[in-house]
């Protein structure tokens, strides 16, 4: 069974600084997808970024980028030039290809951006 | 596109009552997920469907919980009888394929008193 672990319950960063959120996962599959979701106080779940395991290049979406280390089963999220609107809970998620696409989430990391 | 639509947004009910949560996935999506979110347990996958067929319901807490997907555009999660410990936010999500991202509804905040 796949598991996703986020070891940082809370993080904080100053506005305009860079912060990295950690995520590790465990799976025996070779083909899978990884995601980061953001949940602001409004509780809406918003997709931030996705990474296909077969792609070696790290995904980037504007200020958000990932460091995907397949051998280490690590998938961290880097937020550059942090903004107050980035304050939210961030979830790492795994979706495998051999389990009919079961989507498993980590415990979440609460990120607070301070002015 | 209207997105995933859940109803109601908020539900307050008395212990022992039946509760039904509803979800309309995005048109054309063939995977549907039900999650429960609490402070203590985080985001738990309860059950998910592919092409209207339940694939994995191992996350359903107990027999009081049941889920159905009678067609591609509608799903329900029922709790009977409800208990205070069922109080949580329940999310429905859908995706177009098995290996793509899921899109979430706004969630239903359930309070059982």
């Amino acid at each position: 069974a796949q598991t996703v672990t986020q070891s940082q319950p809370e993080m904080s960063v100053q506005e305009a600084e860079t912060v990295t959120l950690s995520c590790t996962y465990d799976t025996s599959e070779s083909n899978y997808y990884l995601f980061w979701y953001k949940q602001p106080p409004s509780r809406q779940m918003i997709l931030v970024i996705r990474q296909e395991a077969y792609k070696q290049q790290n995904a980037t979406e504007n200020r958000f980028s990932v460091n995907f280390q397949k051998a280490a089963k690590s998938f961290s999220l880097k937020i550059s030039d942090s903004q107050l609107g980035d304050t939210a809970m961030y979830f790492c998620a795994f979706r495998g290809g051999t389990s009919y696409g079961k989507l498993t989430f980590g415990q979440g990391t609460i990120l607070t951006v301070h002015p | 596109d209207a997105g995933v639509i859940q109803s109601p947004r908020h539900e307050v009910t008395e212990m022992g009552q039946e509760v039904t949560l509803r979800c309309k996935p995005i048109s054309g999506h063939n995977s549907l997920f039900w999650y429960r979110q609490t402070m203590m347990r985080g985001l738990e996958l309860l059950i998910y469907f592919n092409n209207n067929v339940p694939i994995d319901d191992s996350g359903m807490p107990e027999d009081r919980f049941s889920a159905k997907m009678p067609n591609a555009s509608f799903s329900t999660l029922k709790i009977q009888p409800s208990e205070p410990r069922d109080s949580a936010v329940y999310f429905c999500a859908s995706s177009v394929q098995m290996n793509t991202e899921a899109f979430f509804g706004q969630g239903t905040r359930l309070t059982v008193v």
Side-chain angles (χ1 to χ4, degrees):
Chain A
Q2 56 250 27
T3 58
V4 180
T5 302
Q6 294 179 248
S7 59
Q8 306 154 315
E10 294 186 41
M11 295 278 286
S12 63
V13 65
Q14 292 296 126
E15 199 174 7
E17 297 294 308
T18 296
V19 64
T20 298
L21 308 183
S22 301
C23 172
T24 58
Y25 58 94
D26 188 23
T27 184
S28 57
E29 300 184 43
S30 58
N31 185 30
Y32 50 86
Y33 290 74
L34 296 162
F35 309 94
W36 279 97
Y37 281 83
K38 167 185 177 180
Q39 187 181 39
S42 66
R43 88 171 181 230
Q44 177 66 48
M45 292 285 285
I46 303 165
L47 178 70
V48 174
I49 198 165
R50 59 176 278 172
Q51 174 79 44
E52 294 88 344
Y54 64 85
K55 290 186 177 179
Q56 292 186 339
Q57 186 173 7
N58 289 324
T60 299
E61 289 287 343
N62 300 314
R63 298 183 295 107
F64 299 87
S65 62
V66 299
N67 183 5
F68 173 48
Q69 302 289 326
K70 190 172 184 178
K73 296 180 182 175
S74 171
F75 183 60
S76 61
L77 175 69
K78 185 171 81 170
I79 306 174
S80 304
D81 185 25
S82 296
Q83 300 175 0
L84 297 179
D86 295 333
T87 293
M89 173 85 88
Y90 286 82
F91 291 95
C92 177
F94 171 100
R95 190 167 193 187
T98 60
S99 55
Y100 290 92
K102 183 174 183 177
L103 181 60
T104 303
F105 284 82
Q107 306 92 316
T109 297
I110 299 173
L111 175 67
T112 303
V113 180
H114 298 285
Chain B
D1 197 331
V4 176
I5 300 174
Q6 290 186 247
S7 64
R9 290 291 306 278
H10 305 274
E11 176 81 29
V12 180
T13 190
E14 291 185 349
M15 183 174 62
Q17 296 298 305
E18 177 180 296
V19 176
T20 299
L21 310 182
R22 296 173 176 80
C23 175
K24 177 179 169 56
I26 294 172
S27 177
H29 284 195
N30 56 14
S31 290
L32 183 138
F33 304 82
W34 281 101
Y35 290 90
R36 178 173 69 176
Q37 185 176 28
T38 61
M39 290 290 291
M40 293 297 294
R41 302 176 69 89
L43 200 59
E44 303 173 273
L45 176 62
L46 300 177
I47 185 171
Y48 71 103
F49 296 83
N50 192 54
N51 291 326
N52 312 338
V53 176
I55 301 299
D56 186 344
D57 64 354
S58 59
M60 296 286 262
E62 48 199 273
D63 292 345
R64 297 185 297 107
F65 285 68
S66 63
K68 294 182 179 180
M69 192 164 186
N71 56 62
S73 59
F74 185 65
S75 178
T76 59
L77 178 67
K78 185 178 293 185
I79 308 172
Q80 166 63 20
S82 58
E83 297 182 3
R85 60 192 169 123
D86 301 330
S87 297
V89 177
Y90 291 81
F91 284 101
C92 175
S94 70
S95 70
V96 65
Q97 295 176 11
M98 289 193 299
N99 290 330
T100 59
E101 62 269 26
F103 295 85
F104 281 73
Q106 294 276 54
T108 295
R109 180 175 293 280
L110 173 65
T111 303
V112 183
V113 298

